[in-house]
Amino acid sequence: MKKVLTIDDSKVVRSMVTRHLQPYGCEVVEATNGQEGVEAAKLHQPDLILLDVTMPVMDGKQALAAIRADAATKALPVIMLTAESGRELVVEIVKLGVNGYIVKPFQKESFEKEVSKILGAPSATPPAPAGPPLDRHTVLVVDGDEAILASARQALAGSMQVLTATGAEALERWTSARPGVVLVNVATAGDETIGKLRGLGPSAFVGMAARGDMGAHDAAKKAGCHTVLDSPCQPLEMLDGILVATAAVATVEDQVQTLLGTRDGCVVLNLPDPRSKVFGKVLPSLTKRLRALGAEGGTKLVVDMDNVTESNADVVKSVVAIVTEATTAGLRTAIAVSSASVVESLKQIAETQNRLFPSRDAAREGLK
């Protein structure tokens, strides 16, 4: 299946692009600004990039320059989307090294004319929908050892809905729940089960293999796991592995959605440890999503810091940024934090000192 990356800050335009691409039967990956788009191009290596000119953070011309400057992405086909059709702009775009351009608002005919040059002619009969979307808040843990399943439930329950299964039950559980993440013990599940699970849908796959067993680690990667953890692993390692794997199959926006949930009328943010490998990537999109929540009528936010066990400057800076953005968006905010060192640090900061609660339930009560 061919893959198309659409980079546009307008959700409406991204939806239009996705609809017009349906006859091509391709997978669509989305990015909301040039910076996200450059990262997504490296990660996904799409067959075509549809790139808007005018965007925040990094505009289309800057993004195109970055794509062409990187050996890993310089040969990827790019079609620019522009709201202008003036000769000077068109000449400038062509000089940057694009494969075509489409003037917005575009019609089906003009869109297909350019896109078909790269992807070939569209199918006369659009493919059937692939089924309901995956639930990015759900993780399926596949292991034959009940002790490991119990450990995973304890480590992940605060952040995601956790389902467990042995190898024999895994296919049925996936089909009924459509989890966004599958955490699988390679030794007990086997390559065949992993292959069958991957055939069901584009979940993020995290493999677990015995520490030092490089054969098992290699087997997990060959079977399609996006990242492989040493087993047994600590809760932070498990959460970090899930974020890394999710980054391989989802946009930054999807990763942010994985961190957000709702309960009793409150938006709940399951804050990953700022030491996480991908936390820095999701923070800008996270603050942007908080602004959107306020615009959509949200009023209450619980920042759940159960996964943050140590305090440092990055922790404090990140939490202050989130609280400040939420307050600007009109969200009343409470922070659930149990680590004594983190509590002590946040007590010293004016933006956070009066928002601290010992648990998620206490934080929700504090917002009533």
Side-chain angles (χ1 to χ4, degrees), residues 47-259:
D47 298 282
L48 170 64
I49 300 173
L50 293 169
L51 176 62
D52 187 32
V53 172
T54 306
M55 292 181 292
V57 183
M58 178 188 286
D59 66 27
K61 289 183 284 187
Q62 293 170 321
L64 179 60
I67 289 169
R68 291 292 182 245
D70 192 317
T73 57
K74 66 179 181 180
L76 297 177
V78 177
I79 293 176
M80 297 287 281
L81 303 182
T82 173
E84 302 177 42
S85 58
R87 183 178 180 278
E88 290 184 2
L89 177 62
V90 171
V91 170
E92 182 181 1
I93 289 174
V94 171
K95 285 181 178 179
L96 289 173
V98 297
N99 300 80
Y101 69 94
I102 300 172
V103 178
K104 299 186 294 184
F106 50 80
Q107 301 299 316
K108 177 182 177 182
E109 292 76 14
S110 60
F111 183 90
E112 288 188 353
K113 178 182 177 182
E114 293 299 322
V115 171
S116 294
K117 293 176 183 177
I118 309 298
L119 299 182
S123 170
T125 305
L134 301 184
D135 184 352
R136 299 292 181 190
H137 292 285
T138 298
V139 55
L140 173 63
V141 184
V142 184
D143 200 301
D145 187 331
E146 180 54 41
I148 293 179
L149 294 178
S151 175
R153 280 192 291 265
Q154 182 177 6
L156 301 173
S159 304
M160 308 178 76
Q161 179 182 354
V162 182
L163 304 176
T164 59
T166 64
E169 304 166 332
L171 298 177
E172 183 178 346
R173 295 304 300 272
W174 194 100
T175 303
S176 61
R178 297 185 64 81
V181 181
V182 177
L183 183 66
V184 57
N185 187 319
V186 181
T188 57
D191 296 353
E192 184 178 355
T193 298
I194 296 174
K196 288 180 179 178
L197 284 167
R198 290 196 71 233
L200 294 175
S203 297
F205 276 78
V206 181
M208 292 186 293
R211 188 179 302 273
D213 188 346
M214 300 314 298
H217 279 249
D218 290 342
K221 291 177 182 178
K222 289 179 180 178
C225 292
H226 299 99
T227 188
V228 186
L229 305 177
D230 288 324
S231 179
C233 51
Q234 299 300 314
L236 176 59
E237 295 172 323
M238 200 174 289
L239 289 165
D240 201 39
I242 286 174
L243 286 172
V244 170
T246 302
V249 297
T251 65
V252 174
E253 280 187 326
D254 288 333
Q255 295 173 60
V256 169
Q257 285 300 109
T258 301
L259 301 175

